[in-house]
């Protein structure tokens, strides 16, 4: 999903920053922490709720898609059954109805895709912004020079893990997701 992509970008950025910082001469004075952004994504109640909301959008449209699909099948069956008995006008009418129903179904599917894409992008932007705020606040409060994503840290004995703290802080942030109608 898009959220994982955002977290991956943050992870790579944090990893590159971490490598740059580790090679600096000020390494002895550095205070470093780590956070598992994948675990934050998996454990955050806000992110879970947003994912459920996206599933709900899909589920809400399923009945309409099923009805349209059944109507198309019924019309196609009528065309097939009456192939030899229907007049040219009746066949054209049924074919036009099938085409109209297919277009309706495509429009509904496109509408669902647009809603889901909007929700994903909105959520990704919100999560990225809020995670940056949270990490910056924790770094300043606890005087960390760097907070690295634990996915890119190869060894970290004694390095504080802020995953749970970041997850709680993210869940406490105000919801800013925008929902299209």
């Amino acid at each position: 999903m898009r959220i994982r992509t955002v977290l991956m970008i943050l992870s790579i950025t944090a990893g590159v920053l971490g490598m740059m910082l580790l090679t600096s001469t000020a390494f002895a004075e550095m205070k470093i922490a780590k956070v598992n952004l994948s675990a934050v994504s998996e454990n955050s109640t806000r992110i879970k709720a947003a994912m459920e909301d996206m599933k709900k959008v899909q589920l809400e449209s399923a009945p309409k898609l099923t009805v349209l699909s059944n109507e198309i099948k019924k019309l196609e069956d009528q065309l097939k059954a009456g192939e030899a008995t229907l007049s040219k006008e009746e066949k054209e009418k049924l074919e036009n109805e099938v085409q109209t129903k297919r277009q309706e179904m495509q429009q509904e599917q496109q509408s669902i895709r647009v809603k889901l894409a909007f929700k994903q992008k909105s959520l990704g932007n919100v999560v990225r912004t809020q995670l940056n705020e949270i990490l910056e606040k924790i770094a300043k409060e606890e005087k960390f020079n760097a907070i690295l994503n634990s996915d890119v840290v190869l060894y970290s004995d004694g390095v504080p893990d802020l995953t749970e703290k970041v997850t709680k802080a993210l869940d406490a942030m105000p919801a800013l997701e925008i929902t299209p109608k």
Side-chain angles (χ1 to χ4, degrees), residues 9-126:
I9 291 169
L10 286 172
S11 168
I12 292 168
T13 304
V16 170
L17 177 62
M19 290 304 185
M20 290 176 12
L21 292 171
L22 290 176
T23 59
S24 83
T25 56
F27 175 69
E29 303 166 15
M30 293 194 57
K31 186 175 177 188
I32 299 173
K34 64 182 177 179
V35 63
N36 184 332
L37 294 175
S38 297
V40 170
S41 177
E42 291 171 14
N43 298 328
S44 170
T45 56
R46 278 189 64 216
I47 292 176
K48 286 178 187 176
M51 294 299 181
E52 286 300 315
D53 192 34
M54 289 182 4
K55 284 181 188 175
K56 193 169 129 182
V57 168
Q58 288 176 314
L59 291 174
E60 287 173 350
S61 61
K64 185 172 183 178
L65 291 174
T66 301
V67 166
L68 286 170
S69 180
N70 290 338
E71 289 174 355
I72 291 169
K73 180 154 178 37
K74 183 179 175 183
L75 290 169
E76 287 173 339
D77 289 345
Q78 286 176 357
L79 267 172
K80 190 175 181 180
E83 198 169 328
T85 59
L86 290 173
S87 69
K88 183 179 177 183
E89 293 81 25
E90 290 172 323
K91 281 183 184 178
E92 285 179 6
K93 182 181 176 192
L94 284 174
E95 288 170 349
N96 287 337
E97 286 181 47
V98 168
Q99 186 63 27
T100 300
K101 293 294 180 186
R102 283 187 178 147
Q103 288 173 347
E104 272 185 68
M105 191 166 182
Q106 288 173 347
Q107 288 172 345
E108 183 66 22
Q109 290 169 333
Q110 179 64 22
S111 173
I112 295 164
R113 283 191 293 272
V114 167
K115 286 177 186 177
L116 291 175
F118 183 85
K119 283 181 165 293
Q120 284 178 334
K121 187 172 182 173
S122 174
L123 180 64
N125 289 339
V126 169

